[in-house]
Amino acid sequence: MGILKVVKKPILAEAVQFVGENQTSIDSLTELCGSLSEYNKWFSFRGGVLFVQTLEGEFRVTKGSYVIKGNSGEYWAIKEHIFKETYEIK
């Protein structure tokens, strides 16, 4: 089989921007998760730093990054400049 030219299929996802350790970010992430218990399952603050549990392990979420909820209920963070290059807001 030779080299294939492929295009990633568009998949609708939900995202919020993490603006720092404050009530606005916590409220937005809780809304994205659907409940406080789901938020607590996936996210934690330690030393003023937000961490998200992803399918690949725990990752630090930097201020300005976007947190995305996938179609299977998984979460991941993506830096702002990559988000803007990769995603279109509907």
Side-chain angles (χ1 to χ4, degrees), residues 69-84:
K69 179 179 182 180
N71 290 325
S72 299
E74 77 282 10
Y75 295 89
W76 68 91
I78 185 168
K79 296 208 180 287
E80 183 176 16
H81 72 279
I82 297 170
F83 179 86
K84 289 181 176 180

Side-chain angles (χ1 to χ4, degrees), residues 50-68:
L50 178 66
F51 292 89
V52 59
Q53 187 63 40
T54 73
L55 297 176
E56 289 83 29
E58 185 177 71
F59 285 88
R60 179 181 179 178
V61 182
T62 57
K63 187 175 179 180
S65 293
Y66 285 79
V67 175
I68 300 174

Side-chain angles (χ1 to χ4, degrees), residues 16-50:
V16 298
Q17 188 173 27
F18 175 64
V19 295
E21 184 182 9
N22 58 47
Q23 198 59 50
T24 300
S25 282
I26 293 169
D27 290 346
S28 294
L29 289 168
T30 301
E31 183 178 350
L32 182 66
C33 291
S35 71
L36 186 57
S37 63
E38 277 296 298
Y39 165 83
N40 288 328
K41 176 179 169 184
W42 295 94
F43 297 93
S44 63
F45 275 103
R46 292 193 307 277
V49 177
L50 178 66

